[in-house]
Coordinates of all heavy atoms in Angstrom, one line a residue:
L1 N 0.7 -0.3 -6.4 CA 2.1 0.2 -6.4 C 2.7 0.1 -7.8 O 3.6 0.8 -8.2 CB 2.9 -0.5 -5.3 CG 2.6 -0.1 -3.9 CD1 3.5 -0.9 -2.9 CD2 2.8 1.4 -3.6
F2 N 2.3 -0.9 -8.6 CA 2.9 -1.2 -9.9 C 2.5 0.0 -10.8 O 3.1 0.1 -11.9 CB 2.3 -2.5 -10.5 CG 3.2 -3.7 -10.1 CD1 3.7 -3.8 -8.8 CD2 3.5 -4.7 -11.0 CE1 4.6 -4.9 -8.4 CE2 4.3 -5.7 -10.6 CZ 4.9 -5.8 -9.3
A3 N 1.5 0.8 -10.4 CA 1.1 1.9 -11.3 C 2.1 3.1 -11.1 O 1.9 4.1 -11.8 CB -0.3 2.4 -10.9
G4 N 3.1 3.0 -10.3 CA 4.1 4.1 -10.1 C 3.7 5.0 -9.0 O 2.9 4.7 -8.1
F5 N 4.3 6.2 -9.1 CA 4.1 7.3 -8.1 C 2.8 8.1 -8.3 O 2.7 9.1 -7.6 CB 5.3 8.2 -8.1 CG 6.5 7.7 -7.4 CD1 7.7 7.4 -8.1 CD2 6.5 7.5 -6.0 CE1 8.8 6.8 -7.5 CE2 7.6 6.9 -5.4 CZ 8.8 6.6 -6.1
F6 N 1.9 7.7 -9.1 CA 0.7 8.4 -9.3 C 0.0 8.5 -8.0 O -0.3 7.5 -7.3 CB -0.2 7.6 -10.3 CG -1.5 8.4 -10.6 CD1 -1.5 9.6 -11.2 CD2 -2.8 7.8 -10.4 CE1 -2.7 10.3 -11.5 CE2 -3.9 8.4 -10.7 CZ -3.9 9.7 -11.3
P7 N -0.3 9.7 -7.4 CA -0.6 9.9 -6.0 C -1.7 9.0 -5.5 O -1.5 8.3 -4.5 CB -0.9 11.4 -5.9 CG -0.1 12.0 -7.0 CD -0.1 11.0 -8.1
P8 N -2.9 9.0 -6.1 CA -4.0 8.2 -5.5 C -3.7 6.7 -5.3 O -3.8 6.2 -4.2 CB -5.2 8.4 -6.4 CG -4.9 9.7 -7.2 CD -3.4 9.7 -7.3
T9 N -3.2 6.1 -6.4 CA -2.9 4.7 -6.3 C -1.6 4.4 -5.5 O -1.6 3.4 -4.7 CB -2.7 4.1 -7.7 OG1 -1.7 4.9 -8.4 CG2 -4.0 4.1 -8.5
F10 N -0.6 5.2 -5.5 CA 0.6 5.0 -4.7 C 0.2 5.0 -3.2 O 0.6 4.2 -2.4 CB 1.6 6.0 -5.0 CG 2.9 5.8 -4.2 CD1 3.8 4.8 -4.6 CD2 3.2 6.6 -3.1 CE1 5.0 4.6 -3.8 CE2 4.3 6.4 -2.4 CZ 5.2 5.4 -2.7
I11 N -0.5 6.1 -2.8 CA -0.8 6.2 -1.4 C -1.7 5.1 -0.9 O -1.5 4.5 0.2 CB -1.5 7.6 -1.1 CG1 -0.5 8.7 -1.4 CG2 -2.1 7.7 0.3 CD1 -1.2 10.1 -1.4
L12 N -2.8 4.8 -1.7 CA -3.7 3.7 -1.3 C -2.9 2.4 -1.3 O -3.2 1.5 -0.5 CB -4.8 3.7 -2.3 CG -6.0 2.7 -2.0 CD1 -6.5 3.0 -0.5 CD2 -7.1 2.8 -3.0
G13 N -2.0 2.2 -2.3 CA -1.2 1.0 -2.3 C -0.4 0.8 -1.1 O -0.3 -0.3 -0.5
V14 N 0.3 1.8 -0.7 CA 1.1 1.8 0.6 C 0.2 1.4 1.8 O 0.6 0.6 2.6 CB 1.8 3.1 0.8 CG1 2.4 3.2 2.2 CG2 2.9 3.3 -0.3
V15 N -1.0 2.1 1.9 CA -1.8 1.9 3.0 C -2.3 0.4 3.0 O -2.3 -0.2 4.1 CB -3.0 2.9 3.0 CG1 -4.1 2.5 4.1 CG2 -2.5 4.3 3.2
L16 N -2.8 -0.1 1.9 CA -3.3 -1.4 1.8 C -2.3 -2.5 2.1 O -2.5 -3.4 2.9 CB -4.0 -1.7 0.4 CG -5.3 -1.0 0.2 CD1 -5.7 -1.2 -1.3 CD2 -6.4 -1.6 1.1
L17 N -1.0 -2.3 1.6 CA 0.0 -3.2 1.8 C 0.4 -3.1 3.3 O 0.7 -4.2 3.9 CB 1.2 -2.9 0.9 CG 2.4 -3.9 1.0 CD1 1.9 -5.3 0.7 CD2 3.5 -3.5 0.0
G18 N 0.5 -1.9 3.9 CA 0.8 -1.8 5.3 C -0.2 -2.5 6.2 O 0.1 -3.2 7.1
I19 N -1.5 -2.4 5.9 CA -2.6 -3.0 6.6 C -2.4 -4.5 6.5 O -2.6 -5.3 7.5 CB -4.0 -2.5 6.1 CG1 -4.2 -1.1 6.6 CG2 -5.1 -3.5 6.6 CD1 -5.5 -0.5 6.0
S20 N -2.2 -5.0 5.3 CA -2.0 -6.4 5.1 C -0.8 -7.0 5.9 O -1.0 -8.1 6.6 CB -1.7 -6.7 3.6 OG -1.4 -8.1 3.4
K21 N 0.3 -6.3 6.0 CA 1.4 -6.7 6.8 C 1.0 -6.7 8.3 O 1.4 -7.6 9.1 CB 2.6 -5.8 6.6 CG 3.2 -6.1 5.2 CD 4.4 -5.1 4.9 CE 5.1 -5.4 3.6 NZ 5.9 -6.6 3.6
I22 N 0.3 -5.7 8.8 CA -0.1 -5.6 10.2 C -1.0 -6.7 10.5 O -0.7 -7.4 11.5 CB -0.9 -4.2 10.4 CG1 0.1 -3.1 10.4 CG2 -1.6 -4.3 11.7 CD1 -0.6 -1.7 10.4
V23 N -2.1 -7.0 9.7 CA -3.0 -8.1 10.1 C -2.3 -9.4 9.9 O -2.5 -10.4 10.7 CB -4.2 -8.0 9.2 CG1 -5.1 -9.2 9.5 CG2 -5.0 -6.7 9.4
N24 N -1.4 -9.5 8.9 CA -0.6 -10.8 8.7 C 0.2 -11.1 10.0 O 0.1 -12.3 10.5 CB 0.3 -10.6 7.6 CG 1.0 -11.9 7.2 OD1 1.6 -12.6 8.1 ND2 1.1 -12.2 5.9
N25 N 0.8 -10.1 10.5 CA 1.7 -10.4 11.7 C 0.9 -10.5 13.0 O 1.2 -11.4 13.8 CB 2.7 -9.3 11.8 CG 3.8 -9.3 10.8 OD1 4.6 -8.4 10.6 ND2 3.8 -10.3 9.9
M26 N -0.1 -9.6 13.2 CA -0.7 -9.5 14.5 C -2.0 -10.4 14.7 O -2.0 -11.1 15.7 CB -1.0 -8.0 14.8 CG 0.2 -7.1 14.7 SD -0.1 -5.4 15.2 CE -0.1 -5.6 17.0

């Protein structure tokens, strides 16, 4: 996500962070 809105890294960053939060909580 620190790479900005560059599509591949932004989308993958969102997905990875979302997965981390899911597994962290659940």
Side-chain angles (χ1 to χ4, degrees):
L1 289 178
F2 272 41
F5 281 114
F6 184 60
T9 54
F10 180 77
I11 294 172
L12 188 56
V14 168
V15 171
L16 286 173
L17 185 57
I19 289 173
S20 176
K21 289 175 176 289
I22 287 170
V23 178
N24 185 315
N25 291 169
M26 303 190 76

